Amino acid sequence: MDGEAPLLVIVDGANVVGSRPDGWWRDRKGAAERLRDRLAERGLPGRPTPVELVLVVEGAARGVESVPGVRVEAASGSGDDRIVELAAEHPGRPRLVVTADRELRRRVTELGAEVIGPSTLLR
């Protein structure tokens, strides 16, 4: 029953990691792992649990493993397309996408998902 399911939080890994100029481009997989670990430790700031956290990675960040509390989805192609697919899979469930990408924001809000920016996770 989607109506009883916890909030599904889908994190655009590439967009969130890329929102801070901290050298992430030198080690994309390592940057995605640090984001995953931060999510596992802190959850979603300002949102009560339970939430289901899904981190979508692509490109050089593929190969990042899931950990307790954070499921990692490696996009076979575009990370944005995988995020849209995940949001579309659960139309009756509350969904929140974390991204600053304007086109992705438009696509997922058309599916009824809420959107917040990366700064919420990086506080």
Side-chain angles (χ1 to χ4, degrees):
M1 296 236 177
D2 277 352
E4 297 173 12
L7 175 66
L8 175 63
V9 180
I10 307 166
V11 179
D12 181 352
N15 187 268
V16 173
V17 164
S19 70
R20 277 201 171 157
D22 62 1
W24 59 264
W25 52 89
R26 290 188 294 269
D27 180 10
R28 293 170 193 256
K29 183 178 178 192
E33 288 171 337
R34 287 188 298 278
L35 174 58
R36 176 206 58 199
D37 294 347
R38 181 184 187 115
L39 290 168
E41 179 184 322
R42 298 183 183 181
L44 183 64
R47 297 282 178 144
T49 55
V51 298
E52 179 183 350
L53 285 164
V54 179
L55 174 62
V56 176
V57 296
E58 62 186 327
R62 284 190 199 104
V64 172
E65 299 292 326
S66 296
V67 297
V70 181
R71 185 174 92 231
V72 178
E73 289 269 338
S76 58
S78 159
D80 289 2
D81 289 346
R82 183 65 187 129
I83 291 165
V84 171
E85 289 170 3
L86 288 167
E89 286 174 7
H90 304 281
R93 181 175 181 185
R95 293 147 296 151
L96 178 68
V97 175
V98 183
T99 188
D101 182 293
R102 286 184 186 167
E103 177 61 14
L104 179 57
R105 291 171 78 97
R106 182 194 63 74
R107 292 173 69 192
V108 297
T109 56
E110 286 177 355
L111 296 170
E114 288 182 70
V115 179
I116 59 172
S119 62
T120 303
L121 292 183
L122 302 175
R123 288 184 191 148

